[in-house]
Amino acid sequence: MYFLQINQKAYWRTYRLYGLWKCVIVFSIGGDQIEIQHLDKDKFPTQILGLEEQQPQFVNNYIKFIWAGYQAGFQGIKQGFKALVSGNVPLESGLSSSAALTVASAKLTLQVQGSQDVNLLEFIQKIIYFERKAGTACGGMDQTISVIGKEGCAQYITFNPIQSQEVQLPKGYSFIIANSLTPSPKLETLGKRYNKRVCECLIGIRLITQGHIDQQFKTLRELQQHLNYDHNQLFELAQRIPKGEIPIKDLEHLDLVQLLSDVPYSDIVLSTNESFNPYNRIIHVIQESQRVLQFVEVCQSNDPDDQKAIKLGKLMNESQDSCRDLYECSSEQIDILTKLARQNGALGSRLTGAGWGGGTVSLVPEQLANDFIHIVILNYYKIVS
């Protein structure tokens, strides 16, 4: 019998309105099948899978992520197991519940095999790969920080290859996470939300390069590195993209089926949309990437912590505004929460996670934290509940 608990604790001092969130999995090895149970059997039915099933039909989405972690963690001959799952990470709340399940399952799968000497970066890549196979076009950030995160600091993470750098946050301030209590289900909204945005970004990249560069790029960062451009130059390059919604019929020359073939469920995206807005999505990505670098620069500067916090809050607010206006992944409830936070002591407040509901994160002076939480409970939770 093996036991693993993943604590969803942040890597700086953080208050949460519902305490410490946990994802707990208990494994028992043996047999020739996989049985996954949840402690809440009424809400989450048990499922039994065969070892050799490549694309099983899942009775519940959370099982997809246990399965993805199992696939990522096995190093040799697969064995059957029984898993009992529980936790209090709010589902579909932008708080990495899927990554928590996938990483916990992958780590436990390694543990039961006695596998200790694994290449950490390759292990993370496998976790990301199999979670994408579960259907979400995730970027890999949540999975990476869940594996390499360290208490007491943030991490600046880049990909291709995966690299991380510790970032010390200003002292005397807290990041307060609030659940909007409106679910943000990635897998049920692939065609219109999360995966659609990934497709729009790929379309935007192709519209930038067509007729100018023969090479194909999967990310904007790959294009930026190829051209050795800074963000301002990349912004100017993006002006090649037509502004506003573009009907799919006007994009047929891009061979969208082939262009988007690596995006999970791109067929659903193409069949459920009549137009795309690649310009707004690309501009958001360019400016958001620039804000990340500015965030790191502020943290590494010699400014007093109070000045750092003010600058970081401004970047968080700009990010939320862009998520709302350009990437269009905010929601009415998120807008209410972030506005409430800014009006009551938060230097900055933005959505966290994929968007379209879920949670918010607010930067608040520690001496105001308790009053801030009380105000949010009184003016949001008591109203919406």
Side-chain angles (χ1 to χ4, degrees), residues 32-157:
D32 57 0
Q33 61 185 17
I34 297 168
E35 182 177 340
I36 303 174
Q37 299 183 32
H38 196 282
L39 209 57
D40 186 349
K41 292 183 178 180
D42 294 333
K43 187 175 181 180
F44 303 101
T46 297
Q47 182 160 9
I48 297 176
L49 305 168
L51 283 179
E52 301 306 321
E53 290 188 64
Q54 297 299 315
Q55 294 292 336
Q57 297 297 312
F58 298 101
V59 299
N60 196 285
N61 279 335
Y62 91 92
I63 294 178
K64 290 185 177 182
F65 303 115
I66 301 294
W67 174 261
Y70 166 77
Q71 299 280 359
F74 251 104
Q75 305 294 308
I77 299 174
K78 292 180 180 179
Q79 304 177 58
F81 70 88
K82 293 182 179 181
L84 178 62
V85 183
S86 184
N88 62 352
V89 181
L91 298 178
E92 301 171 349
S93 59
L95 299 172
S96 307
S97 58
S98 60
L101 287 167
T102 308
V103 171
S105 178
K107 283 190 169 185
L108 193 50
T109 304
L110 282 180
Q111 182 180 332
V112 300
Q113 298 172 97
S115 301
Q116 301 296 331
D117 298 326
V118 296
N119 184 302
L120 199 59
L121 297 184
E122 291 180 2
F123 179 55
I124 294 170
Q125 290 283 19
K126 288 183 68 177
I127 292 172
I128 295 169
Y129 171 79
F130 282 106
E131 186 163 333
R132 287 174 178 166
K133 290 276 284 186
T136 302
C138 61
M141 191 68 69
D142 294 348
Q143 298 76 16
T144 305
I145 191 62
S146 295
V147 175
I148 68 172
K150 297 180 181 179
E151 187 171 359
C153 68
Q155 297 278 346
Y156 170 51
I157 298 171

Side-chain angles (χ1 to χ4, degrees), residues 263-280:
V263 180
Y265 298 107
S266 59
D267 55 329
I268 296 177
V269 174
L270 291 174
S271 65
T272 56
N273 291 279
E274 297 180 354
S275 64
F276 294 108
N277 193 334
Y279 177 81
N280 279 8

Side-chain angles (χ1 to χ4, degrees), residues 4 7 17 52 94 126 140 196 204 219 245 253 272 281 288 304 309 342:
L4 184 67
N7 289 337
L17 299 181
E52 301 306 321
K126 288 183 68 177
K196 180 185 178 182
T219 67
E245 294 286 332
H253 64 287
T272 56
R281 315 314 179 212
E288 188 78 343
R342 296 177 191 179

Side-chain angles (χ1 to χ4, degrees), residues 158-174:
T158 56
F159 293 90
N160 301 317
I162 296 175
Q163 295 177 319
S164 66
Q165 175 185 347
E166 293 185 6
V167 178
Q168 298 297 327
L169 296 162
K171 297 178 181 179
Y173 292 85
S174 300

Side-chain angles (χ1 to χ4, degrees), residues 140-318:
M141 191 68 69
D142 294 348
Q143 298 76 16
T144 305
I145 191 62
S146 295
V147 175
I148 68 172
K150 297 180 181 179
E151 187 171 359
C153 68
Q155 297 278 346
Y156 170 51
I157 298 171
T158 56
F159 293 90
N160 301 317
I162 296 175
Q163 295 177 319
S164 66
Q165 175 185 347
E166 293 185 6
V167 178
Q168 298 297 327
L169 296 162
K171 297 178 181 179
Y173 292 85
S174 300
F175 287 87
I176 300 179
I177 298 172
N179 186 352
S180 72
L181 303 181
T182 52
S184 176
K186 291 181 184 177
L187 293 179
E188 289 90 340
T189 57
L190 298 175
K192 290 290 187 178
R193 292 181 176 178
Y194 194 84
N195 289 30
K196 180 185 178 182
R197 293 296 182 268
V198 177
C199 291
E200 287 178 307
C201 288
L202 286 172
I203 292 170
I205 294 170
R206 180 59 60 86
L207 289 172
I208 289 174
T209 60
Q210 66 171 349
H212 301 277
I213 305 173
D214 292 333
Q215 184 176 340
Q216 296 185 14
F217 303 93
K218 293 184 178 181
T219 67
L220 199 60
R221 185 167 182 261
E222 288 182 2
L223 174 61
Q224 183 180 16
Q225 290 176 331
H226 175 79
L227 297 172
N228 195 27
Y229 273 15
D230 62 25
H231 287 88
N232 293 328
Q233 291 171 306
L234 207 57
F235 178 88
E236 293 302 321
L237 200 63
Q239 303 312 306
R240 294 174 179 172
I241 305 172
K243 295 179 175 62
E245 294 286 332
I246 305 175
I248 284 185
K249 62 181 179 63
D250 294 341
L251 297 168
E252 291 177 352
H253 64 287
L254 299 180
D255 189 2
L256 294 180
V257 173
Q258 177 60 34
L259 174 63
L260 307 177
S261 60
D262 288 339
V263 180
Y265 298 107
S266 59
D267 55 329
I268 296 177
V269 174
L270 291 174
S271 65
T272 56
N273 291 279
E274 297 180 354
S275 64
F276 294 108
N277 193 334
Y279 177 81
N280 279 8
R281 315 314 179 212
I282 286 290
I283 294 302
H284 166 78
V285 172
I286 292 172
Q287 294 178 337
E288 188 78 343
S289 174
Q290 193 168 26
R291 279 188 287 270
V292 170
L293 295 178
Q294 291 169 345
F295 197 100
V296 175
E297 289 172 2
V298 170
C299 290
Q300 294 177 338
S301 72
N302 294 321
D303 290 344
D305 284 337
D306 289 346
Q307 290 185 21
K308 288 182 181 180
I310 292 172
K311 293 178 181 178
L312 297 183
K314 181 175 182 293
L315 290 171
M316 291 174 66
N317 290 335
E318 291 174 355

